[in-house]
Amino acid sequence: MSAGVRTASTDMTPTSSKRSVPGASVLFDAPGPRARRRIRIASGISIAAIVVIIALGVHQFADHGQLDAAKWEPFTQWPIWRFLLTGLLGTLEAAALTAVLGSALGMVMALGRLSKVRVIHYAAATYIEIMRTLPVLLMIYVTLFALPAYGINLPLVWKLVAPLTVANSAAFAEIFRAGILGLPRGQEEAALSIGMTRGQAIRLVVLPQAVRIVTPSVVSQLVSLLKDTSLGFVVSFSELLFKGQVLSTFNHLLIQTFLVVTLIYLVVNGSLSTVAHRLQRWTARRTSRGGKPGVAAPPGMALTPMIGEGHHE
Amino acid sequence: MITHPRRRGRMVAALALMVGGAMVLSACGSSTPSSTASSSSQQSSSSSSPSSSSEQSSSSSSSQSPSESSGSSSSGSSSATAPAPTATPDTIDSIIGSAQVADAASILPGSTMEKIKQRGQLIVGEALDAPLLSQQDPTTGKVEGFDADLAKALAVYILGKPNVKIVNPSTETREALLSNGTVDVVFNTYTITTDRAKQVDFAGPYFTSGLAVAVKSSNDTIKGIADLAGKTVIVGANTPAVTEVPKQQPTAKIVSFGTDPECVQALIQGRGDAYVQDITLLASDAAANNQMKVVGQPFTSEPYGIGLKHGDTQFKEFVNNWLKSIESDGLWANIWKATLGTVVQSEPPTPPAIGSVPGS
Amino acid sequence: MNVLLDNWRPLVDGLLTTLWITLVGGVGAIVVGVLVTAARVSPVKVLSGLAFCYVQFFMNVPLLALLVLFVFALPEVGLIMPLLTTAIVVIILYEAAYVAEAVRSGINTVSLGQAEAARAIGLTFLQSLRLVVLPQALRSVVQPVGNVMIALAMNTSLAAAVGVVELTAAAQKVNLVSAQPIQVFVGAGIGYMALALAIGLSTGVVERKVAIVR
């Protein structure tokens, strides 16, 4: 979870067509008869191994009585799902708040870090570097225990959202900064040369393009942020994992409840990730075809390198 | 919000106790307004856990045994729960329905009772996830248990109908909820202490609980707290056990988990030799799970009181009179039987004498 | 700062636990992550599908949920491990998914010509991966993997949720006793920042070492 740092790693995944994965096309020839046989054998072995492992696991699980119908039957009931889905709403609410506030603050910090004014630059850089290297859990403890001791007692939702916003704003800042730095210099220079001020150049020329490039990374960050809201459980904010906890205290089915909760996360985040991939492919296609030269890296290298670069300095 | 900073910090901490950090903490956060909102039925759950924290245990934990308690309708829909005992659906509602109503003369003009009567609703600070005491049934939204049903009975006494609005407190804000008038009364495993009595008034005590020891059913060597020296002891984060066990058995190794079900699972999987928790909770766990059992008697004593606004002696006297009347007319015992009594094979205990504890 | 000095023992123990989880978890995550990537780009469809599912699963489920599941559900499958070990295993599996994504994108940055050339001189799939593509890919992913390592260090704090007393849990414990939250948490925060800084610096060093001068 620590959102803060995740950016760089998550976002990549350019899935664009064949070119992007050299492995797929170049690392091996189109397999001939022998290779095909070998691949078939390898596949067979892996499938067998997987099946055996899964079967063993399921068998053991059943042996311990965890698959008894009685332990799963409750989850066929609508009220239980309604209860968990209310939790999902809480999760989405916290995630939405964090996303909006975190990205706004992140944008400010990104621009601050790129500012030519030294004070602003260092202030923003310090903020970003500190916030991306503190565990969110620790920040939550601060809002839970430290701030109230000094008379600041945030409303429940904010005890979760405030630390998440702070942590994610650092991540967003790095994403945006990478996007801006990833644009060819010429864009800004051209804007300046036609008489725009630096502010105008950034607002009218650089940002619109940069935002487009980083959209997929932003969506990946959203996935990570949504996962982070599970820390709401720490502040007893009514989100999905917390609801799962209350439910498990009620029905004594800890394992089953957590499996179901995991499944819900998987579905929700999986759909978000799919959106990220689609966006990525879409951006790649748009840029390569529609001739906005330079805006995008060649599909294969999409964001990674840029974002990696972002962290130097 | 209000609350005194210092104190709060300490308590919270206590609650939180390290443990599982995460979950654990759950307890603390809640207080806030938002949480308050929940009203009994439908609730959104606001946080519940906390509640109890300190004292009773974790509230979070919880296991409810299924419900029995629940009364009403719940049974209909929920089958979710584990096998449980008992009480038929209508029992508790009919018990409460038959509760006595105060005579008009005792509702003094200008008193808190009159204010409540005019409002038509009793606002109660209570937990949502303390099994057998005050646990929400996720399938119906109803909150049932010893504390919850007593609160309903008090509502009947004042209003003539069990009209209760629940505000879910976290331990550290119960004093604040009372002093700023957010709630009329607190039924929340609220242990009476002289410290707290400086900020709130306590009616009661109405019940005495305490920490006890549970082990795997197969374990015959541990018979109580005295046998825990050098053993690995599982405790719930945020529960008094975290500090109490080391006090009694300094050599015991403490492992804490965030919620009661986790502690139970950990005990059964052998991650510890014993599990120390509030006796009401342990009883409900043991009733739902034949792989564990409670051994010995509680080794601490926690007298629970009904929290009232500080200085409201009129109301305190009124509530104490009500307690006396339900204790003598059998309502107290009936509610006990329908809730805590479903997991204990014994007759209802004798309630502690009103005002018998310093601070009450 | 007195609180920190008075309670240095549990805090240092916590810090050491955090360091240990970070170290073992980091090395493990890199190894597993690289293996997963290799499976991902391999010609065996089953393997690459499996690797894809692996990455998707671990990237989409909160670590906290995984920790609880592994600690309490694995024993039901007959695997019971000490809490610390379980936490480390979960962290390895979880972060390996991120490492795999980072490495895969690194592979994508290796220019096609490299792979083609490797194939042209007759290297097999495994050889071209091992001798040509991966070495270059790993270079370009030093920075992203370093970021994953920093994230990993932060995530070790979640082990507190399953009873592991690492730095965050230790700080909370000390806070309980001392009721000095600001000092304690700032102290713990500095610990994490130092750890992140150390990872960042070593990432820089490694990157410079392996940099290819073109």
Side-chain angles (χ1 to χ4, degrees):
Chain A
M1 337 209 116
S2 75
V5 205
R6 192 78 317 143
T7 21
S9 32
T10 45
D11 349 352
M12 21 240 159
T13 34
T15 10
S16 42
S17 36
K18 21 179 151 151
R19 278 195 57 279
S20 60
V21 183
S25 49
V26 189
L27 282 176
F28 39 86
D29 296 322
R34 276 181 67 198
R36 242 179 286 147
R37 200 173 43 212
R38 243 180 288 140
I39 290 182
R40 242 178 321 206
I41 293 174
S43 304
I45 294 177
S46 6
I47 291 180
I50 297 167
V51 170
V52 169
I53 292 175
I54 293 181
L56 258 180
V58 171
H59 179 74
Q60 285 278 347
F61 212 55
D63 252 15
H64 283 75
Q66 296 297 345
L67 290 182
D68 295 356
K71 295 202 170 175
W72 288 97
E73 190 268 331
F75 296 99
T76 58
Q77 292 175 356
W78 168 238
I80 296 284
W81 282 93
R82 192 181 49 203
F83 185 75
L84 288 175
L85 293 180
T86 341
L88 183 58
L89 275 187
T91 295
L92 295 177
E93 180 199 342
L97 280 173
T98 310
V100 171
L101 298 176
S103 57
L105 186 58
M107 180 58 89
V108 171
M109 288 299 158
L111 293 177
R113 193 165 185 176
L114 292 168
S115 163
K116 301 261 193 260
V117 184
R118 296 204 138 216
V119 183
I120 298 183
H121 167 82
Y122 284 116
T126 312
Y127 172 90
I128 292 172
E129 289 308 321
I130 291 184
M131 293 315 172
R132 59 189 283 269
T133 53
L134 286 180
V136 185
L137 185 58
L138 196 72
M139 295 193 207
I140 289 183
Y141 280 13
V142 169
T143 54
L144 266 186
F145 306 124
L147 294 187
Y150 294 84
I152 307 171
N153 200 349
L154 302 174
L156 184 62
V157 148
W158 294 101
K159 281 184 176 158
L160 173 65
V161 172
L164 283 183
T165 298
V166 170
N168 281 283
S169 66
F172 278 118
E174 288 301 271
I175 295 179
F176 291 135
R177 195 169 69 100
I180 294 171
L181 290 176
L183 277 189
R185 288 188 72 84
Q187 293 289 325
E188 190 184 336
E189 284 164 2
L192 292 177
S193 73
I194 59 170
M196 290 188 183
T197 64
R198 189 154 188 265
Q200 283 174 320
I202 291 202
R203 190 159 46 85
L204 301 174
V205 177
V206 176
L207 277 190
Q209 301 184 59
V211 165
R212 193 168 325 138
I213 304 183
V214 300
T215 308
S217 324
V218 169
V219 180
S220 309
Q221 184 61 32
L222 291 182
V223 172
S224 133
L225 181 158
L226 203 116
K227 289 199 288 180
D228 284 353
T229 60
S230 62
L231 290 169
F233 175 18
V234 175
V235 299
S236 72
F237 171 69
S238 154
E239 47 75 52
L240 184 52
L241 200 62
F242 177 74
K243 284 285 200 178
Q245 178 204 315
V246 172
L247 181 60
S248 71
T249 69
F250 174 78
N251 63 13
H252 294 284
L253 300 173
L254 180 72
I255 294 170
Q256 287 73 12
T257 306
F258 269 80
L259 281 174
V260 169
V261 165
T262 303
L263 185 73
I264 299 178
Y265 272 113
L266 205 55
V267 168
V268 173
N269 280 330
S271 343
L272 255 181
S273 303
T274 312
V275 171
H277 284 218
R278 290 259 162 83
L279 273 177
Q280 213 151 16
R281 220 171 299 168
W282 180 76
T283 340
R285 215 184 316 134
R286 235 183 107 111
T287 45
S288 57
R289 198 208 271 156
K292 298 217 162 150
V295 169
M301 32 193 308
L303 293 161
T304 338
M306 307 182 328
I307 285 183
E309 235 166 72
H311 292 291
H312 298 300
E313 141 144 8
Chain B
M1 357 192 82
I2 326 192
T3 41
H4 299 203
R6 219 82 210 285
R7 189 158 195 275
R8 190 169 200 257
R10 217 170 318 122
M11 270 187 113
V12 171
L15 312 180
L17 224 353
M18 55 224 135
V19 168
M23 344 192 73
V24 173
L25 311 174
S26 26
C28 336
S30 51
S31 42
T32 77
S34 53
S35 57
T36 43
S38 36
S39 64
S40 45
S41 30
Q42 148 113 43
Q43 255 42 0
S44 66
S45 69
S46 1
S47 38
S48 30
S49 51
S51 24
S52 30
S53 350
S54 38
E55 348 235 316
Q56 145 148 15
S57 58
S58 54
S59 23
S60 37
S61 20
S62 25
S63 35
Q64 153 148 43
S65 39
S67 35
E68 35 267 0
S69 41
S70 42
S72 28
S73 54
S74 54
S75 29
S77 57
S78 67
S79 45
T81 56
T86 12
T88 54
D90 287 320
T91 319
I92 196 72
D93 280 355
S94 57
I95 293 174
I96 291 167
S98 68
Q100 188 195 337
V101 181
D103 41 354
S106 64
I107 311 278
L108 305 169
S111 66
T112 310
M113 300 76 91
E114 193 192 36
K115 213 176 68 197
I116 295 167
K117 188 153 194 179
Q118 275 167 3
R119 191 197 301 130
Q121 196 178 42
L122 178 69
I123 307 180
V124 184
E126 65 177 72
L128 299 178
D129 62 351
L132 300 189
L133 290 167
S134 188
Q135 163 84 38
Q136 181 183 23
D137 181 339
T139 57
T140 61
K142 290 194 123 212
V143 181
E144 306 282 351
F146 188 67
D147 276 354
D149 293 329
L150 279 180
K152 283 181 210 156
L154 178 59
V156 171
Y157 189 64
I158 300 174
L159 307 166
K161 55 189 181 206
N163 203 349
V164 168
K165 180 182 163 198
I166 296 177
V167 171
N168 179 17
S170 62
T171 307
E172 79 272 32
T173 57
R174 289 178 296 191
E175 291 81 15
L177 290 177
L178 284 168
S179 68
N180 66 21
T182 310
V183 302
D184 300 316
V185 292
V186 168
F187 279 88
N188 186 219
T189 61
Y190 207 1
T191 303
I192 301 175
T193 64
T194 45
D195 233 14
R196 284 184 179 148
K198 289 174 197 150
Q199 292 178 277
V200 299
D201 278 3
F202 284 107
Y206 63 94
F207 189 69
T208 307
S209 186
L211 294 173
V213 179
V215 294
K216 276 174 99 157
S217 311
S218 54
N219 185 324
D220 290 324
T221 55
I222 296 176
K223 302 262 191 283
I225 183 78
D227 300 323
L228 295 184
K231 301 280 197 235
T232 302
V233 178
I234 297 165
V235 300
N238 334 342
T239 67
V242 178
T243 47
E244 202 52 48
V245 173
K247 230 184 268 171
Q248 310 240 356
Q249 288 295 356
T251 59
K253 186 169 169 272
I254 306 284
V255 185
S256 42
F257 292 95
T259 64
D260 175 64
E262 289 179 16
C263 292
V264 170
Q265 195 78 20
L267 177 71
I268 290 168
Q269 292 174 352
R271 294 193 186 274
D273 302 305
Y275 171 29
V276 172
Q277 179 62 283
D278 190 275
I279 179 86
T280 58
L281 206 47
L282 288 183
S284 98
D285 287 338
N289 195 324
N290 59 11
Q291 289 172 276
M292 64 177 277
K293 64 182 178 188
V294 183
V295 291
Q297 291 301 310
F299 60 92
T300 62
S301 166
E302 309 272 349
Y304 295 156
I306 301 167
L308 309 171
K309 189 170 189 163
H310 193 54
D312 193 346
T313 29
Q314 221 176 25
F315 192 37
K316 175 173 170 176
E317 196 188 325
F318 177 84
V319 175
N320 273 335
N321 286 337
W322 165 73
L323 272 178
K324 280 176 201 151
S325 80
I326 61 167
E327 284 170 9
S328 61
D329 72 8
L331 181 65
W332 187 95
N334 283 335
I335 292 179
W336 184 90
K337 275 190 230 157
T339 55
L340 296 170
T342 54
V343 296
V344 179
Q345 316 304 337
S346 76
E347 284 305 296
T350 313
I354 307 292
S356 61
V357 176
S360 62
Chain C
M1 288 289 128
N2 270 335
V3 191
L4 299 183
L5 293 180
D6 294 346
N7 297 286
W8 67 273
R9 197 59 218 263
L11 288 174
V12 168
D13 283 352
L15 183 61
L16 289 179
T17 308
T18 294
L19 288 178
W20 176 245
I21 303 176
T22 309
L23 192 72
V24 179
V27 172
I30 291 176
V31 172
V32 177
V34 169
L35 289 179
V36 170
T37 313
R40 183 80 195 272
V41 299
S42 83
V44 183
K45 283 253 163 52
V46 180
L47 281 184
S48 69
L50 200 63
F52 176 78
C53 294
Y54 175 93
V55 171
Q56 286 303 310
F57 179 81
F58 284 101
M59 288 187 50
N60 287 323
V61 176
L63 181 54
L64 206 50
L66 289 175
L67 282 166
V68 173
L69 266 187
F70 272 67
V71 168
F72 294 107
L74 272 195
E76 300 297 318
V77 193
L79 272 177
I80 187 159
M81 300 180 281
L83 292 176
L84 181 62
T85 316
T86 314
I88 292 179
V89 168
V90 175
I91 286 175
I92 288 177
L93 294 177
Y94 181 82
E95 299 293 344
Y98 287 92
V99 172
E101 278 305 88
V103 174
R104 193 170 70 92
S105 71
I107 289 186
N108 290 339
T109 64
V110 175
S111 67
L112 285 183
Q114 295 287 330
E116 279 166 353
R119 298 289 304 143
I121 60 172
L123 299 186
T124 66
F125 164 71
L126 281 182
Q127 283 173 324
S128 41
L129 203 56
R130 188 159 48 88
L131 301 173
V132 178
V133 176
L134 270 186
Q136 299 186 59
L138 288 179
R139 275 177 191 142
S140 70
V141 300
V142 171
Q143 195 61 250
V145 169
N147 284 322
V148 176
M149 293 299 117
I150 293 179
L152 185 150
M154 308 296 102
N155 283 341
T156 57
S157 64
L158 296 185
V162 286
V164 175
V165 185
E166 41 61 75
L167 186 53
T168 302
Q172 179 52 29
K173 228 178 194 170
V174 169
N175 172 38
L176 264 192
V177 182
S178 66
Q180 300 275 6
I182 289 287
Q183 296 185 22
V184 174
F185 290 130
V186 167
I190 291 176
Y192 282 105
M193 284 165 59
L195 181 55
L197 189 67
I199 297 175
L201 288 180
S202 32
T203 311
V205 171
V206 174
E207 195 173 39
R208 240 166 290 130
K209 274 241 171 83
V210 299
I212 315 169
V213 187
R214 290 189 212 261

